[in-house]
Amino acid sequence: QVHLVESGGGLVQAGGSLRLSCVASKGIFSVNAMGWYRQPPGKQRELVATISRGGSPHYVDSVKGRFAISNDYAKNAVYLEMNSLKPEDTAVYYCAARYSGDPNNYWGQGTQVTVSS
């Protein structure tokens, strides 16, 4: 069992920045991919960004050029740097991980991001 703990959410004005962190209870050297998802109010969860082993990032079109995903193997962590935030970025943000040889997808508990206009 792997536990993921997110932090860094909060309330910010439009145009502001936040940095989300996700720390895993198991080393991420064996991760196939880690990612950030979000669930806006009343909507389904959607992919925001992923980073795979080898470090290739992928972003949903709506955040390209504004968000950046990165990882730190020494800290078992993945980060989401969010800049130029918009009210439509308001959502609960979830960290997810998939480990090599493990059929489970692991999720964190979520962190709320609210962007005011």
Side-chain angles (χ1 to χ4, degrees):
Q1 187 72 11
V2 178
H3 297 284
L4 305 176
V5 179
E6 302 104 333
S7 61
L11 173 64
V12 64
Q13 289 188 331
S17 298
L18 284 173
R19 186 187 192 222
L20 305 184
S21 299
C22 171
V23 179
S25 61
K26 178 180 176 180
I28 64 172
F29 287 97
S30 59
V31 161
N32 281 337
M34 293 189 78
W36 289 94
Y37 291 73
R38 66 186 179 186
Q39 187 165 14
K43 297 183 179 180
Q44 291 187 335
R45 193 174 299 188
E46 62 183 9
L47 172 68
V48 176
T50 60
I51 186 166
S52 60
R53 195 177 353 176
S56 300
H58 169 80
Y59 302 95
V60 68
D61 286 346
S62 61
V63 308
K64 285 181 179 177
R66 301 189 297 122
F67 290 12
I69 188 170
S70 61
N71 56 17
D72 185 332
Y73 290 107
K75 296 182 178 180
N76 295 334
V78 64
Y79 306 101
L80 187 68
E81 187 75 36
M82 306 187 294
N83 299 308
S84 302
L85 283 161
K86 304 175 181 180
E88 51 264 44
D89 294 318
T90 294
V92 179
Y93 283 71
Y94 298 89
C95 174
R98 188 172 69 249
Y99 283 79
S100 177
D102 187 337
N104 299 301
N105 292 318
Y106 296 101
W107 295 88
Q109 81 286 353
T111 185
Q112 176 71 46
V113 172
T114 303
V115 184
S116 63
S117 56

